[in-house]
Amino acid sequence: MTTTTAGVIFILSLIAALVAVYKPFGDYMYRVVSGTRQSRVERGIYRLVGVNPAAEQSWGVYARSVLAFSAISILFLYAFQRVQQHLWLSLGFPAVVPHGAWNTAVSFVTNTNWQSYSGESTMGHLVQMAGLAVQNFVSAAVGIAVAVALVRGFARSRTGELGNFWVDLTRIVLRILLPIAVLATLALMIGGAVQNLSGGTDVTTLTGGGQTVTGGPVASQEAIKELGTNGGGFYNVNSAHPFENPTTWTNWLEIFLLLVIPFSLPRVFGRMVGQNRQGYAIAAVMGILAFVSIALTNVFELAGHGTVPQAVGAALEGKEVRFDVSNSATFAAATTLTSTGAVNSFHDSFTSLGGMMTMVNMMLGEVAPGGTGSGLYGLLILAVITVFVAGLMVGRTPEYLGKKIGSREIKFASLYFLITPALVLVGTAAAFATGNNSTALNVGQHGLSEVLYAFTSASNNNGSAFAGITVNTTWWDTALGLCMLLGRFLPIIFVLALAGSLARQAPTPASEGTLPTHRPLFVGMVVGVTLILVALTFLPALALGPLAEGL
């Protein structure tokens, strides 16, 4: 069997598995976020934090709850890292430096999981488990909760209430993320992933030298890292490490985990608005963009564009032999199409056009299928923009799911879309203007690509890196931390504001002039608008970086 054939089978099996779970898993998540019954554990949590589960919130209160919870999480995680040396299972590691602790706290709370440090030589086991892994659960749940709140805005009429953030957060963690993460942890342990509290084992290498191999609670963190589209690795080399990702089938499982929730959420959307075909339309947009991206990334990497890859017949630099080129390319595309940021290969060593695809995936807004929750609400924003553009073309007030898209709604949608491009381009320019663009490995077009990738990853809450550039400095930790904060919470505010505006509207009956939003024409329009907006925004920067390098 050739590498190409094996890669095609790998991709097709992923598609088949995602299609198979779309309806049952989507229906289960719908029951979780729409149900009214509370478990005994949930009621205990509500009493502990003083929440009335029967009380709903307006969009402003919902947004303040999200921001307050996230702010407290950042402060706690920052303090946790700063007193690490006094904690149990610290492994003798000192406190994390202030700018590093700030960057890491922001990174994990915003679901970015950007890491400017080596996990196995910086963080003790308690910080990894009670700090980083906990944020992997709750930051993913925040994204899903915000998406559900937006869908409620479409589904409800003449009300200012969008649900209760604390109830949504609790249910999503306890009923969706935690059970699946436990099962995934067991599967990864069976596959060979490490799960212990060892401080390290001294071994003798093949060359006769000595080495300490760090152990730890790896499998449990790996499971939620992928399921919650988080991406922070226990080890510096992330999912390329055999303790995190031992075999080809665990590699398949990890890709499936990072795609399963985002690809199933459109089913929740369809059920909540009472039209399953609307969910199919959104899933189709996700699927088309994802398939094209994965296919192109594989083509560019298998073609091995470049002098050395052409000479040796493969672009294997920076890739694990046990995964080969195709499985590495598929993982890279999937992790940047979502907000995961986990890597099983070195993106900096990809071919120029293959590396460009990983950037383009993030520049799309990570909507194919995007992160847990953030992918759905990002694509719904693009659907709103598409409906507005279509309305302008025919000269009538645009409508989507019975809600009019007026000046107020399109302002929220436009501001949502403009935030991340502004952060990416201004941040990249600031790095060059202040002399913080120096790279350890590359200059010229590839050096520009490294800086552009870093700000694209941080601003879109992805967390992967081109590497090759030193980012563990005060300037970089501060700048990227600000991009992660603004790139996460400003869009959430505009999403919730849009949800509140939609929920207050009275339903508008469909008429002869209403654009059908469940048909292939609308799917094609959303795909086209997404690609055009990205091309108009980022093409000049891409032309100076990866495109120039490729040519």
Side-chain angles (χ1 to χ4, degrees):
M1 183 183 296
T2 66
T3 299
T4 302
T5 302
V8 170
I9 294 174
F10 189 89
I11 295 170
L12 292 179
S13 63
L14 275 171
I15 294 173
L18 292 170
V19 170
V21 302
Y22 173 81
K23 184 176 179 180
F25 185 45
D27 287 345
Y28 172 73
M29 288 194 290
Y30 165 74
R31 291 192 296 271
V32 169
V33 299
S34 300
T36 57
R37 297 183 62 182
Q38 312 291 342
S39 70
R40 183 176 301 177
V41 174
E42 291 166 358
R43 288 194 297 270
I45 293 174
Y46 301 145
R47 284 195 296 270
L48 181 65
V49 298
V51 170
N52 177 9
E56 295 210 354
Q57 299 171 324
S58 65
W59 81 263
V61 177
Y62 203 103
R64 289 194 293 272
S65 298
V66 171
L67 296 177
F69 176 74
S70 301
I72 292 172
S73 297
I74 291 173
L75 292 174
F76 172 79
L77 190 52
Y78 176 85
F80 212 19
Q81 296 173 80
R82 295 291 293 144
V83 299
Q84 172 180 245
Q85 71 274 26
H86 304 299
L87 301 176
W88 180 56
L89 294 176
S90 67
L91 305 182
F93 294 146
V96 181
V97 296
H99 61 84
W102 140 264
N103 184 276
T104 302
V106 170
S107 176
F108 277 78
V109 172
T110 58
N111 199 243
T112 310
N113 302 76
W114 172 275
Q115 293 175 291
S116 59
Y117 60 88
S118 298
E120 67 268 41
S121 60
T122 305
M123 302 292 182
H125 292 339
L126 188 62
V127 173
Q128 292 270 21
M129 292 186 295
L132 306 187
V134 167
Q135 289 305 317
N136 283 351
F137 280 96
V138 295
S139 66
V142 167
I144 299 174
V146 172
V148 170
L150 177 59
V151 177
R152 289 186 184 125
F154 284 108
R156 295 180 176 183
S157 300
R158 300 186 182 95
T159 179
E161 298 177 338
L162 296 177
N164 188 309
F165 168 72
W166 306 105
V167 173
D168 291 337
L169 180 74
T170 303
R171 285 182 176 180
I172 291 166
V173 170
L174 294 183
R175 301 191 195 184
I176 298 175
L177 297 176
L178 190 58
I180 301 175
V182 170
L183 294 176
T185 299
L186 295 174
L188 289 172
M189 290 171 63
I190 292 171
V194 170
Q195 183 73 14
N196 57 44
L197 294 177
S198 169
T201 302
D202 294 328
V203 298
T204 302
T205 66
L206 294 176
T207 59
Q211 181 178 344
T212 300
V213 179
T214 305
V218 179
S220 56
Q221 187 159 322
E222 189 74 9
I224 188 57
K225 145 188 157 180
E226 309 295 6
L227 180 64
T229 62
N230 296 284
F234 191 94
Y235 295 98
N236 186 43
V237 293
N238 211 277
S239 291
H241 199 290
F243 285 2
E244 289 195 27
N245 192 5
T247 66
T248 301
W249 76 261
T250 60
N251 191 58
W252 184 97
L253 176 62
E254 291 189 10
I255 297 175
F256 175 78
L257 287 173
L258 63 90
L259 292 173
V260 65
I261 291 179
F263 262 127
S264 298
L265 279 173
R267 176 70 179 185
V268 180
F269 166 64
R271 290 291 304 274
M272 290 182 70
V273 299
Q275 300 182 54
N276 286 330
R277 58 190 184 179
Q278 298 290 346
Y280 291 132
I282 294 299
V285 176
M286 291 178 172
I288 291 170
L289 291 171
F291 181 80
V292 171
S293 171
I294 292 172
L296 287 176
T297 306
N298 271 270
V299 167
F300 292 144
E301 290 305 298
L302 289 170
H305 175 73
T307 304
V308 175
Q310 291 286 358
V312 300
L316 273 170
E317 181 187 354
K319 298 180 177 68
E320 282 295 305
V321 175
R322 66 184 187 278
F323 302 141
D324 211 335
V325 175
S326 181
N327 289 1
S328 299
T330 300
F331 195 109
T335 196
T336 49
L337 283 166
T338 61
S339 67
T340 310
V343 295
N344 75 345
S345 56
F346 198 49
H347 291 185
D348 200 28
S349 65
F350 273 37
T351 63
S352 54
L353 297 183
M356 180 191 70
M357 286 306 304
T358 61
M359 275 191 276
V360 170
N361 291 340
M362 294 182 287
M363 291 172 178
L364 288 172
E366 294 177 332
V367 294
T372 50
S374 61
L376 177 60
Y377 65 67
L379 194 49
L380 289 177
I381 293 289
L382 287 167
V384 167
I385 295 174
T386 302
V387 168
F388 183 78
V389 171
L392 293 178
M393 295 171 67
V394 299
R396 62 172 282 129
T397 302
E399 302 165 10
Y400 186 44
L401 300 175
K403 300 297 178 70
K404 290 186 179 296
I405 308 301
S407 60
R408 179 181 176 85
E409 289 75 23
I410 198 61
K411 285 175 184 176
F412 289 140
S414 299
L415 288 170
Y416 173 95
F417 178 80
L418 292 172
I419 289 167
T420 47
L423 293 173
V424 171
L425 298 177
V426 171
T428 302
F432 281 90
T434 58
N436 286 284
N437 60 299
S438 59
T439 68
L441 300 178
N442 299 286
V443 293
Q445 294 99 335
H446 200 80
L448 171 62
S449 296
E450 289 175 342
V451 176
L452 181 64
Y453 192 106
F455 280 100
T456 301
S457 178
S459 302
N460 285 281
N461 301 129
N462 184 269
S464 63
F466 246 25
I469 182 170
T470 302
V471 293
N472 58 340
T473 65
T474 301
W475 190 91
W476 274 102
D477 278 341
T478 303
L480 294 179
L482 290 173
C483 286
M484 288 185 278
L485 269 179
L486 297 175
R488 173 70 164 182
F489 295 113
L490 284 180
I492 282 178
I493 291 172
F494 292 125
V495 166
L496 293 173
L498 175 62
S501 180
L502 294 171
R504 285 192 296 270
Q505 290 188 27
T508 302
S511 65
E512 290 294 331
T514 302
L515 173 68
T517 55
H518 59 279
R519 295 178 181 173
L521 174 62
F522 182 72
V523 171
M525 290 178 65
V526 177
V527 170
V529 166
T530 303
L531 295 176
I532 290 171
L533 287 176
V534 171
L536 292 175
T537 306
F538 291 108
L539 185 58
L542 292 172
L544 293 172
L547 281 173
E549 183 183 1
L551 295 174

